[in-house]
């Protein structure tokens, strides 16, 4: 059990963030532990040829332990609600090289796993190894994730944040924590993770440092950092990942009456918008162009059937109360 103690001021400074470096690092588990995150399997099978062309892929694979742990320094705590990969990678690069051995050993030796030879040998020159790891992550991001996967993932993660904000506003912190993940429990100022890693109970006082909550596509339940000395953060499974199954894979079933009233394209959009989504995300899910989706959304917004909310660089749409009534909550 990992317990985070939050006072009233700590609750006020609990916030959400989307981290591209977290997604890049945690996504390495897709290659070392295939099948563990089935909602991402189809997308990553499409990425496999690009990944197998990477020169440093063996170094990247070496960063994931047999129990799926990754060193803490690779997933630094976000500093902005919508993270920038280059800025976050700069934090990874800035690790003092003399700390690298301890960071790596903590992820592997804790459960009796030896350091992979690529890492152990590289520690003869920790500054060079750190640079190689950072460069490998940059190459992986640019070749595999940034071109197509990340725009879709970012839309899903940002939609999750809009949903969480609504839960917090309408139902309060207790409901928010309960809805994040089955591993989390909130009671008497303590947020507990019923975790299945590490030894014994860990107590962390947030103590004015703020608690960061980050949705991710690559966990099966809420997790936190390996070290209890890191600044407080929790990652939890993002909602809506099924929408990333492929172009047209998430096309909804709509009623004939609704299609007769507003037309088939707008009916499909209204059905999908039970949860927040961006224009790009909707276009991908329906297998059409963003321009076509944008035209229909403009009409739906003008008639009060959908609402807009900006998150970072994205504009997310969601069905309004009137839209819910029209669709019957489908």
């Amino acid at each position: 059990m990992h317990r985070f103690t939050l006072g009233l001021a700590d609750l006020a400074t609990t916030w959400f963030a989307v981290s591209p470096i977290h997604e890049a690092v945690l996504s390495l588990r897709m290659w070392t532990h295939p099948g563990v995150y089935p909602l991402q399997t189809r997308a990553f099978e499409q990425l496999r040829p690009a990944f197998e062309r990477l020169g440093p892929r063996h170094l990247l694979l070496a960063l994931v332990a047999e129990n799926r742990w990754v060193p803490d320094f690779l997933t630094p705590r976000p500093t902005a609600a919508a993270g920038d990969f280059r800025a976050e990678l700069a934090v990874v690069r800035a690790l003092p090289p003399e700390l690298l051995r301890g960071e790596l050993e903590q992820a592997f030796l804790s459960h009796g796993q030896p350091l992979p030879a690529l890492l152990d040998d590289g520690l003869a020159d920790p500054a060079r190894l750190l640079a190689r790891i950072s460069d490998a992550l940059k190459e992986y991001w640019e070749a595999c994730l940034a071109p197509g996967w990340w725009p879709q993932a970012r839309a899903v993660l940002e939609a999750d944040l809009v949903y969480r904000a609504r839960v917090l506003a309408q139902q309060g912190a207790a409901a928010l924590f309960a809805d994040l993940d089955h591993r989390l429990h909130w009671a008497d100022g303590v947020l507990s993770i019923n975790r299945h890693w590490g030894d014994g109970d860990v107590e962390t006082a947030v103590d004015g440092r703020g608690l960061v909550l980050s949705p991710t596509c690559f966990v099966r339940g809420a997790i936190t950092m390996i070290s209890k000395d890191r600044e407080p953060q929790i990652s939890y499974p993002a909602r809506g990942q099924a929408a990333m199954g492929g172009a047209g894979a998430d096309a909804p079933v709509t009623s004939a009456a609704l299609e007769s009233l507003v037309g088939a394209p707008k009916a499909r959009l209204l059905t999908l918008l039970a949860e927040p989504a961006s224009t790009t995300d909707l276009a991908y899910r329906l297998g059409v162009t963003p321009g076509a989706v944008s035209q229909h959304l403009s009409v739906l917004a003008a008639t009060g059937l959908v609402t807009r909310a900006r998150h970072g660089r994205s504009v997310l749409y969601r069905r309004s109360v009137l839209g819910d009534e029209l669709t019957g909550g489908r």
Side-chain angles (χ1 to χ4, degrees), residues 59 73 92-93 95-98 100 104 118-119 121-136:
L59 177 59
F73 82 98
V92 173
R93 288 188 187 275
L95 179 79
E98 63 271 19
L100 183 57
L104 295 174
L118 270 175
L119 301 179
D121 294 344
L123 283 170
D125 186 346
R128 183 172 181 271
L129 178 58
L130 180 60
R132 288 177 57 211
I133 290 171
S134 301
D135 290 344

Side-chain angles (χ1 to χ4, degrees), residues 7 21 32 36 54 75 97 99 101 116 167 172 218 230 281 293-294 328:
I21 195 79
T32 59
V36 174
L54 289 180
T75 54
L99 300 182
R101 176 177 291 276
V167 172
F218 305 106
R230 292 276 177 173
D281 182 33
V293 170
S294 182

Side-chain angles (χ1 to χ4, degrees), residues 8 16 42 44 62 66 69 72 82 96 98 109 111 122 124 143 146 183 189 227 233 259 273 278 299 309 314 319:
L8 184 59
F16 286 85
R42 179 172 175 176
F44 274 75
E66 291 180 8
W69 283 17
D72 280 347
E98 63 271 19
L109 304 188
H111 285 145
R183 291 184 185 175
S227 172
Q233 65 171 303
E259 289 190 9
L273 287 171
S278 68
V299 174
S314 300
R319 245 176 15 215

